[in-house]
Amino acid sequence: SQKIEQNSEALNIQEGKTATLTCNYTNYSPAYLQWYRQDPGRGPVFLLLIRENEKEKRKERLKVTFDTTLKQSLFHITASQPADSATYLCALGGTDSSYKLIFGSGTRLLVRP
Amino acid sequence: ETGVTQSPTHLIKTRGQQVTLRCSSQSGHNTVSWYQQALGQGPQFIFQYYREEENGRGNFPPRFSGLQFPNYSSELNVNALELDDSALYLCASSARGVRETQYFGPGTRLLVL
């Protein structure tokens, strides 16, 4: 069955450093991959979408890479700030008509001042 | 804020009861998806409604059912509640032509005792 792995351990970094989060998947060939941010008790907030034919996408301090050979996506936050502290979810989407998303369990990021 | 609203915000029910959760999609969006998120896990796709019809369903039993209304708002109904149904229920809407990107509401926290 489809499996998405995100580091279950929290990532703890110093303010100003680059945070790198990993999403690995198996038994799936997604048409696109998305990253969401989720704060405690809130719904996920869409950040970036990258398609299978794209290698890299950037938006302000965020960068996503997508390697369909390695079946891996990396999510980078440069010049991290304490306000970036949250759980980040990776989600895969296919070509079925429902555009349903398959989510990983998320990685919690803590940015120390 | 995404413009997707959900009600109620919190709900406590007992095993065997029935519950109805409501969602108003973002203006201009005609597709609504429902997800269940257990504590510490990523959201799991329940089903999607597009133009008032179910358009894709995840691995959830028939006691999970839904509706979409002409104004694109939606309901999720769960019958014969079980303890494992305790979770955050998320509604996400997406726009015609950009259905990959889903905008989530704040969720309804359901506790089944």
Side-chain angles (χ1 to χ4, degrees):
Chain A
S1 62
Q2 303 147 352
K3 191 174 179 183
I4 302 173
E5 288 185 350
Q6 293 186 257
N7 196 336
S8 58
E9 289 185 14
L11 179 62
N12 199 326
I13 65 169
Q14 185 73 40
E15 181 178 9
K17 300 293 186 183
T18 295
T20 299
L21 285 69
T22 304
C23 174
N24 294 297
Y25 60 93
T26 55
N27 298 326
Y28 198 55
S29 295
Y32 53 92
L33 184 148
Q34 301 185 18
W35 284 88
Y36 286 79
R37 168 187 173 137
Q38 187 172 27
D39 292 286
R42 309 287 294 273
V45 174
F46 169 76
L47 297 175
L48 281 169
L49 178 152
I50 186 166
R51 300 187 186 279
E52 60 178 335
N53 61 348
E54 298 175 316
K55 296 290 185 187
E56 183 178 298
K57 208 77 169 284
R58 291 174 186 260
K59 179 183 175 183
E60 297 173 353
R61 296 185 294 112
L62 308 179
K63 185 178 87 170
V64 173
T65 63
F66 193 12
D67 189 326
T68 55
T69 301
L70 289 179
K71 294 187 182 293
Q72 181 182 77
S73 174
L74 298 178
F75 177 75
H76 306 272
I77 304 175
T78 58
S80 59
Q81 304 165 1
D84 294 327
S85 299
T87 295
Y88 290 86
L89 298 163
C90 164
L92 306 183
T95 55
D96 60 280
S97 63
S98 71
Y99 294 92
K100 70 180 181 189
L101 294 174
I102 302 171
F103 281 87
S105 297
T107 298
R108 189 173 173 204
L109 173 65
L110 298 171
V111 182
R112 301 189 310 274
Chain B
E1 297 297 325
T2 62
V4 178
T5 59
Q6 293 186 241
S7 63
T9 55
H10 297 83
L11 204 51
I12 300 175
K13 291 284 189 179
T14 56
R15 197 170 48 182
Q17 285 189 311
Q18 177 265 343
V19 69
T20 297
L21 310 181
R22 295 179 175 82
C23 170
S24 289
S25 58
Q26 188 167 319
S27 177
H29 288 189
N30 61 359
T31 303
V32 173
S33 302
W34 285 91
Y35 291 81
Q36 180 196 66
Q37 186 175 24
L39 207 57
Q41 301 297 314
Q44 276 198 292
F45 178 74
I46 303 175
F47 45 55
Q48 181 185 91
Y49 278 84
Y50 173 60
R51 293 183 176 179
E52 302 178 53
E53 296 208 353
E54 188 179 289
N55 179 49
R57 189 178 183 92
N59 293 326
F60 282 81
R63 60 189 184 83
F64 285 78
S65 63
L67 282 173
Q68 186 181 32
F69 299 100
N71 66 354
Y72 303 129
S73 65
S74 177
E75 285 183 356
L76 164 66
N77 299 292
V78 187
N79 293 322
L81 283 167
E82 300 177 359
L83 298 180
D84 285 349
D85 295 333
S86 296
L88 181 67
Y89 287 85
L90 296 161
C91 161
S93 74
S94 47
R96 180 187 300 116
V98 198
R99 291 168 66 199
E100 299 96 330
T101 303
Q102 301 186 19
Y103 296 89
F104 285 82
T108 294
R109 174 71 64 185
L110 172 65
L111 178 61
V112 182
L113 301 175

